[in-house]
Amino acid sequence: MTWIIISWKNIWHKPLSSILSILLLAFGAGIISLLLNVSEQVEKQFTKNISGIDMVVGAKGSPLQLLLSSVYQIDAPTGNISLSEYQKLSKNPLVKKSIPLSFGDNYKGYRMVGTEKSYLDLYDAELKKGQLWSQSGEAVIGSLVQNITELDLNKSFQSSHGFDSEMGEGHVHFNFQVVGVLEETGTVLDKLILTNLESVWDVHQHEGHSHEEKPKEITAAFIKFKNPMGILSVPRMVNQKTNMQAALPAIEINRLFSLMGTGIETLQSLAILIVLISGISVFISLYQSLKERKFELALLRSMGASRFQLFSLVIMEGLFISIIGFICAMVFSKIAMTLISAMAEQNYQYPLQTSFLTKDEGLLFLGILAIGFLASILPSIQAFRLNISKTLSDA
């Protein structure tokens, strides 16, 4: 215990040098930790929400925009498609399951989605209370919608046009009633208000702008194929022979991750460089400190301290700096992750989880310890080889 205390006091003998080393370690390791957490959470959310969806169809435009708007509900849709054209596609012999979606309205920023009950099966959703919709005007809300808004079972509300609650006009002539509340799923369902397709059509028919009967439309549809042959042939047919566009989630998400990955890898490389520079800083700090404390170390040797104890003393100083730097890095990373999660929830209704310590962060801790150990090796060897008589006679 005495040697630990001595090592600790030696670190703060020159506080500015030690603090610089700790800050460099904390900054570099904190950035690495934050990037690991953000990329893991984003990938988890994106992958989880496309489970069970082989193809998405919608109006022609950007495939990625179609995917983001229909699967993740974080972009504007590319337009509408004909219900009859979708129904024709759903009867294709290669199609196992199809789920239509119709959206364009919101309640306090939370999107209204008209769909079929099979949409809930994609995410293994279960009711927390109430029941599923059975007629036009009935709605089921996600867990996040219930937590943030005042909506609950049997409450009535009116939707607004568009996806921004402050910009869209309210549909004052049509009331929805909440008949069910979903359990938390950790998917896009948590932030949605679900109803049937008829409700979406009825809302706009009650606007009174026109009494003409227009062909029914939907915004997008999810397709599940019976076998891989469907993925190979149907998307090309949809894109070439219909007014619809087909997007393959697996391909588009991989493309998105590839674009994100380049930026993340660049930042990680920069953070690793900062960590390595901090290792050099630790080495310089310990080396300079050792030169100034040679006489003290020689006195310790003359008083009975072994060579190994002096070696361990300097090693402990390097490890102490590493541990303090890592702790500071975790504090920085978790605070930053909490702020990013709050921003994601506010802007996209997608909260990110902030875990205490991940497996990757455990490996990062070992890496930081290794840097502290390696940085202190040379000064420790010099302490081990210290010539007592020469040092004391030169003092």
Side-chain angles (χ1 to χ4, degrees), residues 144-356:
L144 186 62
V145 179
Q146 183 199 23
N147 294 337
I148 303 299
T149 71
E150 77 283 0
L151 289 183
D152 207 339
L153 203 61
N154 299 322
K155 289 285 186 73
S156 296
F157 66 96
Q158 296 170 343
S159 63
S160 299
H161 187 66
F163 302 123
D164 190 333
S165 59
E166 298 180 356
M167 299 294 291
E169 297 180 1
H171 300 298
V172 296
H173 302 293
F174 191 93
N175 288 332
F176 284 95
Q177 184 179 26
V178 178
V179 297
V181 179
L182 296 175
E183 293 278 6
E184 183 178 352
T185 63
T187 68
V188 67
L189 288 187
D190 295 340
K191 65 171 189 172
L192 297 181
I193 302 172
L194 304 175
T195 184
N196 57 15
L197 291 169
E198 289 74 20
S199 297
V200 177
W201 297 328
D202 290 345
V203 165
H204 297 93
Q205 284 178 359
H206 280 73
E207 292 298 290
H209 297 309
S210 172
H211 297 287
E212 297 181 6
E213 188 70 29
K214 296 181 179 179
K216 291 181 178 179
E217 296 179 326
I218 60 173
T219 312
F222 298 157
I223 305 295
K224 177 72 175 176
F225 295 114
K226 293 179 180 177
N227 53 57
M229 193 65 189
I231 298 178
L232 295 175
S233 59
V234 176
R236 179 178 297 179
M237 181 274 293
V238 170
N239 289 328
Q240 293 179 353
K241 298 183 179 181
T242 73
N243 292 321
M244 300 183 293
Q245 171 188 209
L248 300 179
I251 293 176
E252 296 303 322
I253 290 303
N254 285 336
R255 187 178 300 166
L256 180 62
F257 285 161
S258 177
L259 293 173
M260 290 174 55
T262 302
I264 289 175
E265 287 174 4
T266 301
L267 289 174
Q268 282 182 338
S269 299
L270 177 61
I272 290 172
L273 179 61
I274 293 172
V275 170
L276 293 177
I277 292 173
S278 71
I280 297 172
S281 175
V282 172
F283 165 74
I284 294 173
S285 175
L286 293 177
Y287 187 81
Q288 291 293 334
S289 177
L290 181 66
K291 288 177 65 177
E292 295 175 3
R293 293 187 289 118
K294 276 187 176 182
F295 181 73
E296 297 174 14
L297 295 176
L299 284 178
L300 287 174
R301 284 281 288 121
S302 65
M303 294 170 64
S306 67
R307 291 178 180 273
F308 180 74
Q309 285 175 322
L310 294 187
F311 179 88
S312 302
L313 182 67
V314 181
I315 289 289
M316 279 191 287
E317 291 177 27
L319 294 180
F320 270 138
I321 291 174
S322 296
I323 292 170
I324 297 170
F326 181 78
I327 292 172
C328 293
M330 289 301 99
V331 172
F332 162 76
S333 174
K334 301 311 174 184
I335 291 175
M337 190 67 186
T338 302
L339 294 175
I340 290 173
S341 178
M343 290 172 59
E345 184 172 356
Q346 180 179 355
N347 296 327
Y348 306 108
Q349 289 81 48
Y350 268 112
L352 303 177
Q353 296 179 356
T354 305
S355 53
F356 175 69

Side-chain angles (χ1 to χ4, degrees), residues 2 39 68 76 106 111 124 130 170 180 183 186 193 213 266 270 331-332 348 366 381-382:
T2 303
S39 59
L68 293 175
N106 79 92
R111 295 192 180 192
D124 299 322
E183 293 278 6
I193 302 172
E213 188 70 29
T266 301
L270 177 61
V331 172
F332 162 76
Y348 306 108
L366 295 178
I381 292 174
Q382 287 190 324

